């Protein structure tokens, strides 16, 4: 073998060693997580089996198993049966070999099902050695990032390619081997050396050896103590749980993760390749599926429930298209979330984020046109930019797409014009239907005019399953409870309060005036004697004693002012209020200050300003000062705190007054919530049936005002058409 051949083989061996090393380091890191997870998972399974009564064994055996003697013998749970085994069961009077065998077999069947279903949740408030070991093991992989995983995949692929080539090159590794090798082996060896040289040169040109070496270093790095790992977990819990679900293999049900799409659509999406080279985070399985759905179906509406990461799914789709060579992308969103979009793109991808907002937006637009990247602009600003030429935009993303549900508005016309010139369009909204199915159809018509017209109203008459199947090519929705197995408990409490005499007086005045909005906030009109404010103070004080952060939502600014005055504004613990008049940048700053506060803090927010686009997962208590006209508004606001990344239970307290507008609204809106759950939240909508048509906000307001005037026996002004605000 000549010098060049020896060097080519040596380079190939060094590359193979680096590839094998990073693959081994990654496998060890994964093994550490599995080792730390096992005792926690086993303990959970044991606890669950200890709660399942022995009577459940009868269900498994279709009623054939007689359990009376077992129960008399003190075997009360499935765990008792497993712990005893057949030998001890047979010692129980009246229990024979067959019964013992059947009981243990049935118990094992239940145990297998339990072990497959239980999911470990990490409790930050009660750390103990076993959970600390898991957090530390996960920290290594989270800190190493997606780059380490990709390096391990590259290493595995390289090792598989290099191993046979190095074996074939052996005959040229020494003079004696060369002499004794036959002609065919020498020719194969020469070809192998040439291929080794080509692979090594290509890898060195792409910086692969350095990437493999860096990944190995990152995978061997440990946190600076257990406390550092716990702090990082609180900051990035979503990434920890994402890895945990992937490694444990106990992710959500596949059908749920795929939005219960029909098999033909789901299969087409699964076949879509997803290049994550430009992503800086690892996607969960359902998130990767969502990005593939957007790519495979081209023009779609992603309607995932709040908190499931619609933004990162959109970024993943953009990153894939960038890897394929597309250079220009446009994101349209409300002004309140423009900063959040910019941050997300910069931190979760290598794509260039370019905000087009403010007085310099035209100059920024020209810069984006020349250099490319992801432009982020508002609905209003979009109208000032020329529509693109065909094929110019890799993908148009419209966040909070329900903002364009009315085709008569100028922002809807602008989005429609841009969508008409883009091959790929992705609408994002967690509230695809607020009042009528026509709104949903308007969104679909922008995406797929032919498809919207082809959807038969009879599908909606058949119910949510039929409609879900009908709209599957264009609509994907998943729910938190289906795909986030680790999400902490969400506790809803309706706090019913009797109005004080002062509250009653203010309420009667509002009813007499026919003023629906004044009726809704009458409980705060006399702050010094307000029953609701008294209860709110108690909830905040209790939260302060437990060191919990609180978000207070109201639709009304004067209510937030009353809350601010009722609480200790001089304590430094009070933040906000976030209202519609607060600039988007300041809104985000207020949330950041609230999140960074040490211990207890309170954030005040107008529900439609703070309930959209701002992530408040630092809060574990949410207080709603009054019920909202649309249940989706409450749902969005709560989801600001109870979302992926939340690490504690979330307590939701809705303050309600008995016997008046609150009670009537809650009763009337129960139907809205039921319909939203049955249709929109299950990837479907309905129209043309009496049950599926909600009363409009104005109609609801008029009806409540008239009924309250009749109940209280007061006559006054006829409620105006705009009383619903």
């Amino acid at each position: 073998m000549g010098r060049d051949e020896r060097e080519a083989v040596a380079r190939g061996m060094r590359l193979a060693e680096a590839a094998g090393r990073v693959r081994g380091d990654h496998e060890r890191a994964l093994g550490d997580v599995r080792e730390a997870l096992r005792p926690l998972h086993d303990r959970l399974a044991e606890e669950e089996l200890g709660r399942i009564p022995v009577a459940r064994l009868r269900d498994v055996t279709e009623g054939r198993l007689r359990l009376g003697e077992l129960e008399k013998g003190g075997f009360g749970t499935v765990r008792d049966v497993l712990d005893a085994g057949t030998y001890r069961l047979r010692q129980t009077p009246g229990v024979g070999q067959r019964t013992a065998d059947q009981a243990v077999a049935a118990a094992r069947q239940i145990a297998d099902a339990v072990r497959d279903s239980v999911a470990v949740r990490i409790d930050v408030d009660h750390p103990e050695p076993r959970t600390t070991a898991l957090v530390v093991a996960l920290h290594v992989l989270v800190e190493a990032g997606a780059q380490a995983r990709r390096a391990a995949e590259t290493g595995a692929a390289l090792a598989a390619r290099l191993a046979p080539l190095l074996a074939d090159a052996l005959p040229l590794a020494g003079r004696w081997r060369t002499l004794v090798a036959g002609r065919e082996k020498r020719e194969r060896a020469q070809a192998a050396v040439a291929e080794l040289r080509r692979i090594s040169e290509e890898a060195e040109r792409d910086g692969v050896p350095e990437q493999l070496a860096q990944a190995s270093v990152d995978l061997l790095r440990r946190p600076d103590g257990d406390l550092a790992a716990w702090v990082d977990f609180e900051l990035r819990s979503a990434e920890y749980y994402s890895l945990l679900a992937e490694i444990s293999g106990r992710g959500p049900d596949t059908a749920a993760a795929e939005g219960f799409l029909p098999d033909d659509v789901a299969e087409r999406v699964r076949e879509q390749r997803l290049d994550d080279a430009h992503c800086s985070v690892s996607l969960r399985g359902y998130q990767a599926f969502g990005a593939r759905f957007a790519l495979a179906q081209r023009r779609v509406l992603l309607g995932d429930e709040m908190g499931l990461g619609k933004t990162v799914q959109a970024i993943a789709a953009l990153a894939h298209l960038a890897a394929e060579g597309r250079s220009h992308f446009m994101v349209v969103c409300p002004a309140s979330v423009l900063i959040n979009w910019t941050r997300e793109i910069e931190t979760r991808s290598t794509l260039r984020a370019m905000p087009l907002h403010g007085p310099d937006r035209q100059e920024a637009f020209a810069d984006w046109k020349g250099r490319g990247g992801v432009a982020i602009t508002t609905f209003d600003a979009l109208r000032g930019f020329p529509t693109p030429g065909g094929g110019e935009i890799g993908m148009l993303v419209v966040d909070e797409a329900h903002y364009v549900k009315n085709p008569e508005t100028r922002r809807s016309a602008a989005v429609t014009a841009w969508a008409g010139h883009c091959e790929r369009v992705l609408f994002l909204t967690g509230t695809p239907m607020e009042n009528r199915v026509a709104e949903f159809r308007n969104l679909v018509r922008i995406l797929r005019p032919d498809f919207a017209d082809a959807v038969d109203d009879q599908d909606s008459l058949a119910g949510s399953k039929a409609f879900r199947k009908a709209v599957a090519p264009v609509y994907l929705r998943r729910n938190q409870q289906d795909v986030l197995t680790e999400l902490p408990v969400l506790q809803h409490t309706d706090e019913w309060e009797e109005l004080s005499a002062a509250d009653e007086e203010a309420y009667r005045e509002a009813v007499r005036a026919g003023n629906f909005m004044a009726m809704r906030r009458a409980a705060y009109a006399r702050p010094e004697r307000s029953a609701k404010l008294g209860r709110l103070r108690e909830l905040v004080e209790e939260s302060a004693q437990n060191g919990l952060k609180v978000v207070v939502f109201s639709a009304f600014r004067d209510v937030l002012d009353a809350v601010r005055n009722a609480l200790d504004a001089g304590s430094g613990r009070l933040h906000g209020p976030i209202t519609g008049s607060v600039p988007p940048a300041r809104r985000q700053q207020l949330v950041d200050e609230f999140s960074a506060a040490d211990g207890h803090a309170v954030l005040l927010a107008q529900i439609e300003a703070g309930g959209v686009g701002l992530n408040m997962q630092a809060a574990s208590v949410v207080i709603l000062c009054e019920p909202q006209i649309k249940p989706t508004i409450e749902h969005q606001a709560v989801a600001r705190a109870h979302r992926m990344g939340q690490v504690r239970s979330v307590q939701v307290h809705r303050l309600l007054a008995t016997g008046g507008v609150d009670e009537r609204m809650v009763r009337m809106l129960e139907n809205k919530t039921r319909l939203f759950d049955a249709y929109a939240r299950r990837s479907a909508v309905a129209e043309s049936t009496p049950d599926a048509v909600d009363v409009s906000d104005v109609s609801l307001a008029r009806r409540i005002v008239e009924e309250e005037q009749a109940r209280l026996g007061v006559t006054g002004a006829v409620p105006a058409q705009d009383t619903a605000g």
Side-chain angles (χ1 to χ4, degrees), residues 196-524:
L196 284 170
R197 183 182 294 112
R198 188 191 66 77
I199 292 174
S200 298
E201 290 174 351
E202 181 183 285
E204 290 165 6
R205 184 176 65 249
D206 295 339
V208 172
E210 292 81 2
Q211 294 169 13
L212 298 179
Q214 183 62 53
S216 283
V217 170
D218 293 340
L219 288 165
L220 293 173
R221 187 181 294 119
R222 292 294 182 269
D224 297 329
D226 295 348
L227 181 59
W230 275 108
V231 170
D232 191 60
F233 169 75
E234 287 210 50
L235 293 173
R236 297 189 285 177
S237 63
E239 295 179 45
Y240 280 75
Y241 275 124
S242 177
L243 274 170
L244 189 59
E246 180 183 337
I247 294 170
S248 67
R250 295 183 180 89
D253 175 72
T254 300
E258 296 179 351
F260 302 102
L261 292 178
D263 291 341
D264 58 333
V265 178
E267 185 59 33
R268 183 160 60 250
V269 175
R270 292 185 208 114
E271 292 173 354
Q272 168 68 48
R273 188 179 66 89
L274 182 63
D275 190 329
D276 66 350
H278 290 292
C279 284
S280 303
V281 295
S282 297
L283 300 178
R284 296 194 175 200
Y286 76 86
Q287 291 174 333
F289 186 86
R292 289 189 173 95
F293 179 79
L295 295 167
Q297 300 300 101
R298 295 180 175 270
R299 299 173 69 89
V300 299
L301 192 157
L302 180 60
D304 282 348
E305 191 173 21
M306 301 290 289
L308 293 184
K310 291 188 290 293
T311 300
V312 76
Q313 294 176 66
I315 292 172
L318 299 180
H320 171 89
L321 294 172
E324 289 190 338
R326 304 309 298 267
S327 58
H328 289 71
F329 309 97
M330 175 66 78
V331 173
V332 187
C333 61
S336 60
V337 297
L338 187 142
I339 294 173
N340 186 61
W341 264 100
T342 305
R343 286 184 176 183
E344 291 288 288
I345 291 168
E346 291 174 344
T347 58
R348 297 180 181 275
S349 76
T350 61
L351 305 179
R352 177 174 178 260
M354 192 71 186
L356 310 182
H357 189 53
D360 299 328
R361 59 182 176 272
Q362 292 296 341
E363 290 81 355
F365 180 79
D367 183 31
W368 168 71
K369 289 274 287 185
R371 298 171 59 193
V374 184
I376 309 121
T377 194
T378 64
F379 291 103
D380 292 334
L382 184 69
R383 301 201 310 268
F385 302 132
T387 53
E392 183 179 343
I393 306 298
M395 177 177 278
L396 171 68
V397 178
V398 181
D399 193 16
E400 305 293 351
H402 52 275
Y403 277 47
V404 297
K405 64 190 177 187
N406 183 355
E408 304 302 322
T409 61
R410 288 187 294 174
R411 61 189 175 198
S412 179
V415 167
T416 302
W418 272 72
H421 290 81
C422 297
E423 180 185 358
R424 298 179 185 273
V425 183
L426 174 58
F427 280 7
L428 307 176
T429 175
T431 55
M433 182 191 74
E434 291 187 89
N435 285 326
R436 294 178 181 271
V437 174
E439 297 170 357
F440 175 83
R441 185 172 281 111
N442 288 338
L443 297 182
V444 175
R445 185 166 283 113
I446 299 174
L447 297 167
R448 298 272 300 273
D450 56 333
F451 184 80
D453 294 335
V455 175
D456 192 342
D457 286 347
Q458 296 304 311
D459 291 326
S460 61
L461 289 172
S464 59
K465 289 184 178 179
F467 207 87
R468 180 167 64 243
K469 183 177 181 180
V471 301
V474 72
Y475 180 48
L476 174 66
R477 182 177 179 88
R478 281 77 55 90
N479 299 330
Q480 284 186 346
Q481 63 183 13
D482 291 332
V483 296
L484 292 186
T485 56
E486 83 283 355
L487 200 65
V489 174
L490 181 64
Q491 299 173 329
H492 276 280
T493 304
D494 280 346
E495 304 278 355
W496 290 98
E497 302 296 324
E498 293 283 348
L499 291 177
S500 67
D503 294 335
E504 284 279 8
E505 182 182 353
Y507 184 70
R508 278 182 170 270
E509 291 175 4
V511 172
R512 185 175 292 108
N515 190 329
F516 180 64
M517 289 305 193
M519 290 164 59
R520 292 182 61 201
R521 58 185 190 271
Y524 302 92

